[in-house]
Amino acid sequence: MAGDLEAKIEAARKRAAQAKARLADLEARANQKARRLETRRKVILGGLLIDAAGKDDRFSKVITALMARMVREQDRKAFEGWLVPSPSPEPLGVNQPPSEPPQTVE
């Protein structure tokens, strides 16, 4: 009878260890999925910022300011030789607001 009880205890321990291993595996998969999603968000947001910098000088200035804050050498190396996009100058009068507001007739 004592041997039967010991066998049951050992079987329960084995099931508990298996359940703990399954839980650890599920948690690892969930963490990996969350890291992938975070990386995807960063890539998309970075692409949007770079695209916006090519269209609006304000975003070029933001990128320049952010890059100045980089402290890790390996991060700086990733951007060696890379030029911050900036909008190309447009001829006067094209897509530029008038210098004075229009006059209204009363």
Side-chain angles (χ1 to χ4, degrees), residues 4-22:
D4 187 38
L5 185 56
E6 290 297 320
K8 287 182 179 180
I9 291 172
E10 188 57 36
R13 284 187 179 143
K14 186 176 179 180
R15 285 192 308 272
Q18 290 171 340
K20 191 174 182 177
R22 282 193 305 272

Side-chain angles (χ1 to χ4, degrees), residues 33-49:
K33 187 176 180 179
R35 283 191 310 273
R36 271 195 219 124
L37 182 59
E38 181 69 17
T39 299
R40 181 167 160 43
R41 288 175 179 153
K42 288 176 182 180
V43 168
I44 291 169
L45 190 57
L48 289 170
L49 181 59

Side-chain angles (χ1 to χ4, degrees), residues 6-97:
E6 290 297 320
K8 287 182 179 180
I9 291 172
E10 188 57 36
R13 284 187 179 143
K14 186 176 179 180
R15 285 192 308 272
Q18 290 171 340
K20 191 174 182 177
R22 282 193 305 272
L23 176 61
D25 183 54
L26 289 171
E27 287 174 339
R29 279 194 262 163
N31 289 337
Q32 184 179 30
K33 187 176 180 179
R35 283 191 310 273
R36 271 195 219 124
L37 182 59
E38 181 69 17
T39 299
R40 181 167 160 43
R41 288 175 179 153
K42 288 176 182 180
V43 168
I44 291 169
L45 190 57
L48 289 170
L49 181 59
I50 291 169
D51 182 59
K55 297 174 182 171
D56 188 334
D57 193 46
R58 294 175 299 171
F59 292 102
S60 294
K61 291 175 184 175
V62 168
I63 290 175
T64 301
L66 290 172
M67 289 181 64
R69 296 174 65 181
M70 273 191 250
V71 293
R72 293 176 19 168
E73 187 61 32
Q74 65 193 39
D75 293 342
R76 289 181 182 270
K77 283 184 179 182
F79 288 94
E80 281 181 4
W82 184 73
L83 298 175
V84 176
S86 61
S88 57
E90 297 179 8
L92 290 176
V94 177
N95 293 330
Q96 294 180 354

Side-chain angles (χ1 to χ4, degrees), residues 89-106:
E90 297 179 8
L92 290 176
V94 177
N95 293 330
Q96 294 180 354
S99 56
E100 295 180 17
Q103 299 292 325
T104 58
V105 178
E106 293 182 27

